[in-house]
Amino acid sequence: VGQAGRALGFALGGKPLSVLLPEKPIGTLLTGSKQLGRAKASRGYNLKGLASHFGFVDRNQLQFAERFGVHELAAQDAHDCPETFPHFVEYSTQDAVLTYRLYEKLREELQDRPWVSPLGSQPKAEKTFWRRHPRQKSKHKQRSSSSSMWNMYEVYIRDMAKCLADMEAVGIGVDVERLQGIERDMLHDIEYSRNRAMECLQSIPGHDGTQLNPDLDSINLFSSKQLQVLLFGGAPGRKPEHVVPATKEFKAGKHTFQLNSLGLVPSNKISESSPVSGLPSVSTDILKKLSGDPSKGLDGAAS
């Protein structure tokens, strides 16, 4: 309901939707409290989460991925395997039963909720809405003060769900050749930027005047551990045993290489360190602050 409502709001340009819907969120209307909010926080608005929230199943129900895996052909493999097929049928049957029970439960909840809309007191908004949706006018004009949120769902929300499903099935047309060209350009830019970074870092001398990191080509720039050692070696954490090594060996394929730290002083902001160990973070934002923007001649914190 929430996704369909947001899509409907987008389709209507955002303004008329506030006239059609009550002031309270749909999730609150289903229970009249914050219970669904708590359900979402624990399991989300998925089938098993809602079924558990309403007491149809216990809270230890396993999700599909936990029972059959997350690989692309997990459902097909579970269906074709003689050992897992009975479990697959049981799981699918339970999903069908839970879906129907949730439908009955939520329909009952919505039928008990009055559809309170200030549409009649806002002629300007009403006029705008009916100009965009003339076919719905007769249905809405016939509704009485006894209309429920289920009536609102049937008139405005149900068809939107089908529309969203149809849109997803058709997809969005893309120019594959152009995307491949963009990919090639991006890969070229990544390689160029990496080479420049390696040249710069390899030119930094150690205390004895020799290269600080002669094997820097082996570094994995996507490894937070390696970047942490390279940038902030020697930085302390919250406890004595939490210290970033100033020198450490790492494996790259079949060989081992040594990283020697640049010894940069990390920020003392709590938000820029690990909440557990207190060791400095090497997130994208931190790296941007350190590097600045060389293309614009702007030095970073590492300069």
Side-chain angles (χ1 to χ4, degrees):
V1 172
Q3 292 178 349
R6 287 191 290 274
L8 180 59
F10 177 79
L12 300 180
K15 296 180 180 179
L17 185 60
S18 61
V19 178
L20 292 171
L21 299 180
E23 295 180 359
K24 294 183 179 180
I26 294 296
T28 304
L29 286 168
L30 294 179
T31 59
S33 69
K34 297 181 180 179
Q35 293 177 353
L36 272 185
R38 290 195 293 270
K40 182 182 179 183
S42 60
R43 296 298 297 267
Y45 287 132
N46 56 49
L47 178 62
K48 293 294 191 298
L50 288 173
S52 173
H53 170 72
F54 288 113
F56 299 150
V57 294
D58 62 52
R59 295 185 179 276
N60 298 320
Q61 290 290 308
L62 296 178
Q63 301 290 333
F64 182 91
E66 296 171 310
R67 297 188 63 175
F68 305 108
V70 296
H71 55 287
E72 185 177 357
L73 299 177
Q76 188 67 49
D77 291 345
H79 177 274
D80 295 343
C81 176
E83 296 179 357
T84 59
F85 179 74
H87 303 293
F88 179 78
V89 172
E90 178 188 8
Y91 185 91
S92 302
T93 303
Q94 184 191 50
D95 274 6
V97 172
L98 291 179
T99 299
Y100 180 76
R101 293 187 67 184
L102 279 171
Y103 161 76
E104 290 288 317
K105 173 66 176 178
L106 297 179
R107 183 182 65 174
E108 180 182 344
E109 293 277 355
L110 291 174
Q111 285 176 334
D112 290 341
R113 296 282 172 180
W115 180 8
V116 181
S117 170
L119 183 62
S121 63
Q122 298 187 22
K124 184 178 179 180
E126 180 181 8
K127 184 177 180 181
T128 301
F129 179 77
W130 296 135
R131 186 170 63 249
R132 295 182 181 179
H133 304 81
R135 295 183 180 179
Q136 297 290 351
K137 187 171 183 178
S138 59
K139 290 184 180 180
H140 189 81
K141 286 298 183 181
Q142 291 171 4
R143 90 172 166 85
S144 64
S145 58
S146 62
S147 293
S148 68
M149 289 301 295
W150 180 255
N151 300 131
M152 187 278 291
Y153 167 78
E154 288 187 307
V155 175
Y156 298 109
I157 305 299
R158 184 175 57 190
D159 292 342
M160 178 56 65
K162 183 178 184 303
C163 175
L164 292 175
D166 291 342
M167 290 170 61
E168 184 175 354
V170 173
I172 301 174
V174 296
D175 187 330
V176 177
E177 292 184 0
R178 185 176 180 184
L179 285 179
Q180 291 173 340
I182 294 174
E183 180 184 28
R184 287 193 297 269
D185 292 341
M186 290 182 64
L187 292 175
H188 177 269
D189 291 344
I190 291 172
E191 185 65 21
Y192 175 75
S193 299
R194 187 184 191 283
N195 291 337
R196 286 197 62 188
M198 291 301 101
E199 290 176 6
C200 177
L201 292 171
Q202 286 178 327
S203 67
I204 299 175
H207 294 297
D208 58 359
T210 61
Q211 263 187 312
L212 182 65
N213 285 295
D215 298 325
L216 200 61
D217 282 335
S218 300
I219 190 174
N220 177 7
L221 293 178
F222 296 100
S223 168
S224 59
K225 293 293 184 183
Q226 294 184 27
L227 289 176
Q228 199 175 57
V229 171
L230 175 65
L231 298 174
F232 301 118
R238 291 193 176 90
K239 297 181 180 180
E241 63 269 23
H242 292 160
V243 179
V244 180
T247 298
K248 188 174 182 178
E249 290 188 343
F250 293 95
K251 286 187 176 181
K254 295 183 179 180
H255 76 280
T256 302
F257 71 99
Q258 178 175 292
L259 266 184
N260 299 307
S261 181
L262 300 176
L264 300 180
V265 179
S267 168
N268 57 6
K269 294 181 179 179
I270 297 178
S271 60
E272 297 184 4
S273 62
S274 167
V276 178
S277 65
L279 295 177
S281 170
V282 288
S283 65
T284 301
D285 291 337
I286 301 299
L287 296 179
K288 286 181 178 179
K289 289 181 180 180
L290 292 173
S291 64
D293 192 343
S295 65
K296 297 179 180 179
L298 301 176
D299 294 331
S303 301

